[in-house]
Amino acid sequence: MPLTALILVARRTAAAEDSSQRIMDCFLIKGGRPLEGEVEISGAKNAVLPIMAAALLTAERCVIRRAPNLSDVRFMGEILKSLGAKAEFDGDTVTIEAAKIRGVGDYELIRKMRGSICILGPLIGRLGKAAVSLPGGCVIGARPIDLHLKGLAALGAKIDIDAGYIHATARALKGAELFLGGRSGPTVLGTGNVMMAAALADGVTRIESAACEPEVVDLADFLIAMGAKISGAGSPTITVTGVKSLHGAEHEVIPDRIETATFAVAAAATGGDVTINGSRPDHLYAVFDKLREAGVKIERSGPALKVTRRGRLKPVDITTLPYAGFPTDVQAQMMALMAVTPGISIITERIFESRFMHVSELARLGADIAIEGPSAIVKGGRPLSGAPVMASDLRASAALVIAGLAARGETRVNRVYHIDRGYERIDEKLRRLGAKIERMEGS
Ligand code: EPZ
């Protein structure tokens, strides 16, 4: 067996062993204590993944700072290596050099992480060919990629699906005007993929109904630092003027707004007083608006945010929407908060069709929640009591941790490997805030 294959097998076995070990990890939480103290926010998972993929657009070295130490980020590193790039992690800095790359990555690695679809745009942009395994669906929804493919085809890519692979080829991508809106609005990673491919296309691309998420803006900022010509990122219309080549760049990733929101909701659910450092409050107006409506105090103190909840919460209704609306990635955490809030609140999920996996697990803790189509009707206020629960996906696991912190007695959250995908050392950060939470390593 050739050396590269041997190395790949060794790496995959190590990753599998590590992840099979982690699969058994759980959190033991003794609830009923208010969170108090300070917490530092890490870099954004949903910004760093496409930014790491964007490094494939140049042969030169790219240095990405404030990269959170998460299993998804390490996974993306493995995927880039499977394409022939170098990816080195040093603390929260990742250095990528894609001097010589091939257009086909490791099928299994790519299939396993949905976020890896964002290598497609850079590969077709740089090499004019790419073969990437189709990302599977996930528990929160079917998650098709038709808009990604429609956008790349509009730039002239020929797309075939064969043997589980997306095959994309193009002699030369050409700038085009395209509409990228779908049945539930714009696509975040789809916008990123088209923007990255268009950066090296011939001519001007105009993306209508582009996603406006801060992570899209952060990706555009990184591409501009590499020499791309992009305007309008953060608005529904993005214009990209293609250039011949891109160069290396250095970039610091934005703070994780979903992690920030998660700690703010945890402070509210436990009746705590938490100072959040290193966040971008201007990325969270919709979330803070709803928390304030529920009776949570949110103040700026210099660069920090102070989140306090004393006294009774009020029920609020939530509908998830594309940015700058209420983020779907905070829906589950807010449901945990509304479960401990006296009164009726209605939570409507408009982005992912099956993102209520946490409802039945919250019910194990005593929550009273009924699902009616895209909405969950939460009859809150009944005290929660600790129980063994099972995490099903990243944000559902964050909701179960918050509910466990608010519940009386002991909660055991199983399969916390889900939470390690998107929260850096969350148990340590919570312990520093006075939480009684312990990670029980898998045996
Ligand atoms: C990004 O996923 C995030 N992931 C998700 O965060 C987040 O929930 C989502 O955006 C929405 O904000 C990363 O950035 C890695 P979409 P993405 O394409 O880009 C439909 C987390 O918890 N759609 O904006 O994959 C799709 O099914 C994760 O951190 C199509 O129909 O999401 C969904 O209903 C979960 N066709 C909606 O659009 C397409 O081609 C929005 O999806 C693409 C998407």
Side-chain angles (χ1 to χ4, degrees):
M1 185 185 278
L3 181 62
T4 44
L6 270 173
I7 295 168
L8 208 50
V9 171
R11 278 205 201 116
R12 203 184 304 145
T13 327
E17 259 155 30
D18 175 50
S19 59
S20 65
Q21 183 72 36
R22 305 245 69 96
I23 279 190
M24 303 310 288
D25 282 13
C26 70
F27 283 159
L28 279 186
I29 303 170
K30 292 200 177 59
R33 290 173 174 76
L35 295 181
E36 277 159 5
E38 299 202 15
V39 63
E40 186 71 32
I41 296 300
S42 304
K45 166 183 81 83
N46 292 347
V48 77
L49 294 179
I51 286 173
M52 288 172 72
L56 293 170
L57 286 163
T58 177
E60 297 180 14
R61 211 164 64 108
C62 294
V63 178
I64 302 161
R65 299 188 203 293
R66 205 177 181 172
N69 181 5
L70 303 170
S71 52
D72 273 13
V73 175
R74 287 198 301 275
F75 226 76
M76 182 57 98
E78 289 306 317
I79 289 170
L80 296 181
K81 287 179 197 165
S82 80
L83 294 164
K86 282 203 205 111
E88 277 148 25
F89 292 88
D90 176 11
D92 67 355
T93 298
V94 52
T95 304
I96 297 167
E97 213 164 318
K100 243 172 132 307
I101 55 170
R102 48 183 169 268
V104 187
D106 180 277
Y107 185 94
E108 275 312 315
L109 276 177
I110 296 170
R111 190 184 65 73
K112 277 216 185 93
M113 184 174 74
R114 277 203 55 81
S116 59
I117 188 66
C118 58
I119 65 173
L120 188 58
L123 288 177
I124 186 85
R126 165 116 179 254
L127 303 175
K129 65 176 175 16
V132 169
S133 46
L134 266 172
C138 82
V139 289
I140 67 176
R143 304 188 72 176
I145 53 158
D146 55 317
L147 298 170
H148 297 239
L149 304 184
K150 174 185 163 194
L152 296 173
L155 300 182
K158 186 174 162 307
I159 310 268
D160 292 308
I161 309 280
D162 179 51
Y165 273 99
I166 306 155
H167 294 275
T169 51
R171 244 203 299 275
L173 293 177
K174 285 207 169 346
E177 192 155 316
L178 55 108
F179 178 79
L180 215 51
R183 67 183 162 67
S184 39
T187 162
V188 176
L189 288 178
T191 301
N193 252 332
V194 175
M195 206 163 57
M196 290 189 273
L200 289 176
D202 184 16
V204 178
T205 297
R206 200 178 144 90
I207 308 172
E208 286 298 344
S209 187
C212 306
E213 271 68 4
E215 294 77 23
V216 171
V217 177
D218 205 27
L219 173 61
D221 289 346
F222 177 60
L223 291 169
I224 291 166
M226 295 171 80
K229 293 203 170 90
I230 300 174
S231 60
S235 82
T237 305
I238 295 178
T239 305
V240 184
T241 305
V243 294
K244 287 266 166 294
S245 67
L246 295 169
H247 50 73
E250 302 214 1
H251 180 81
E252 175 163 317
V253 173
I254 54 172
D256 196 313
R257 64 192 167 102
I258 308 300
E259 185 192 17
T260 307
T262 301
F263 277 101
V265 174
T270 60
D273 179 348
V274 171
T275 299
I276 301 178
N277 298 319
S279 78
R280 282 277 304 265
D282 57 317
H283 291 164
L284 285 159
Y285 287 124
V287 173
F288 292 163
D289 181 55
K290 282 294 170 187
L291 285 175
R292 287 191 175 104
E293 192 187 324
V296 182
K297 212 160 141 209
I298 301 191
E299 303 152 292
R300 300 261 196 124
S301 58
L305 266 177
K306 205 167 154 24
V307 181
T308 326
R309 199 273 288 177
R310 297 284 181 248
R312 224 173 135 89
L313 285 162
K314 290 190 289 289
V316 294
D317 296 340
I318 306 258
T319 299
T320 64
L321 292 166
Y323 190 85
F326 193 94
T328 172
D329 295 347
V330 186
Q331 176 257 98
Q333 299 92 315
M334 276 306 269
M335 192 182 289
L337 181 65
M338 290 298 110
V340 297
T341 300
I344 306 255
S345 51
I346 299 175
I347 296 185
T348 303
E349 175 58 53
R350 289 268 177 244
I351 306 294
F352 291 108
E353 65 276 19
S354 42
R355 199 169 205 178
F356 283 149
M357 300 291 286
H358 39 284
V359 169
S360 52
E361 295 306 303
L362 287 171
R364 285 180 196 286
L365 301 172
D368 180 349
I369 305 168
I371 297 178
E372 294 276 340
S375 298
I377 295 135
V378 185
K379 290 201 192 96
R382 187 197 295 166
L384 301 185
S385 53
V389 290
M390 182 75 79
S392 55
D393 61 83
L394 168 56
R395 307 305 170 183
S397 46
L400 296 177
V401 167
I402 291 172
L405 292 167
R408 278 196 320 265
E410 185 173 273
T411 295
R412 179 192 174 104
V413 182
N414 292 304
R415 297 199 173 172
V416 291
Y417 68 94
H418 285 293
I419 213 165
D420 292 334
R421 289 189 39 231
Y423 293 91
E424 191 175 32
R425 296 175 287 104
I426 191 167
D427 49 325
E428 282 173 35
K429 292 187 181 186
L430 285 169
R431 271 195 296 278
R432 255 188 250 117
L433 294 171
K436 286 244 172 291
I437 178 169
E438 225 185 310
R439 176 187 291 264
M440 309 301 284
E441 300 229 342
S443 50

